[in-house]
Amino acid sequence: MISSYSDLIQASRNQQEAQRLLFVFCRAELPDDASAEQKAAFERGEGGALTPVICVDKTPDEAPDFGALAEESRATGQAWDLVFVAAMSGRGGMAPSTDEAQQPLTMMVESIRLGQVSHYLPLDPQGNAVSLG
């Protein structure tokens, strides 16, 4: 059971093949046509739509610490509320390259835009896994 970013890094290092992690940082937003009830729920931290604002891929060795990853994301100037993470397995002891990660990362962004997030690990800004139920 993965409950934090450090659990994810440990699990990725225990895989038989080298891993590349895909990150999509998202901002929670309220649609312009939101009802008063939706606005109230959003103010309580519920509901809204997740809009991808940053995406990046890294090996576990390139991002061993969530604090450094979060700081790097903040340096872009883009605010975010949640990051989704997925992993790609390599082959022959080599992690997938950044080029090999581009199409899966693009597909991940699109599926998040469509609200299809069940295949990804959502983490809060402190690196803790969250439930989106």
Side-chain angles (χ1 to χ4, degrees):
M1 178 78 182
I2 295 176
S3 62
S4 69
Y5 186 77
S6 57
D7 290 348
L8 172 70
I9 293 298
Q10 187 62 45
S12 69
R13 289 184 172 150
N14 290 336
Q15 298 301 305
Q16 189 168 2
E17 288 291 346
Q19 304 286 301
R20 179 162 292 278
L21 302 175
L22 309 178
F23 300 93
V24 178
F25 294 82
C26 298
R27 180 174 45 240
E29 298 179 328
L30 197 57
D32 292 335
D33 62 348
S35 68
E37 184 177 305
Q38 289 170 321
K39 289 177 185 176
F42 188 76
E43 288 174 16
R44 292 191 306 270
E46 302 167 6
L50 292 170
T51 302
V53 293
I54 306 167
C55 60
V56 67
D57 63 280
K58 293 187 177 284
T59 65
D61 289 339
E62 292 171 332
D65 172 63
F66 189 78
L69 179 69
E71 187 57 37
E72 183 181 326
S73 73
R74 286 185 197 98
T76 68
Q78 291 287 339
W80 57 274
D81 300 298
L82 199 65
V83 59
F84 289 97
V85 188
M88 292 177 64
S89 290
R91 55 194 170 281
M94 298 291 294
S97 69
T98 291
D99 286 344
E100 292 172 307
Q102 281 310 300
Q103 183 178 10
L105 193 54
T106 299
M107 292 169 57
M108 186 175 170
V109 168
E110 284 307 310
S111 65
I112 291 168
R113 282 190 177 129
L114 295 171
Q116 300 166 350
V117 297
S118 62
H119 292 82
Y120 311 120
L121 174 67
L123 299 172
D124 68 16
Q126 289 75 45
N128 298 309
V130 295
S131 173
L132 298 177

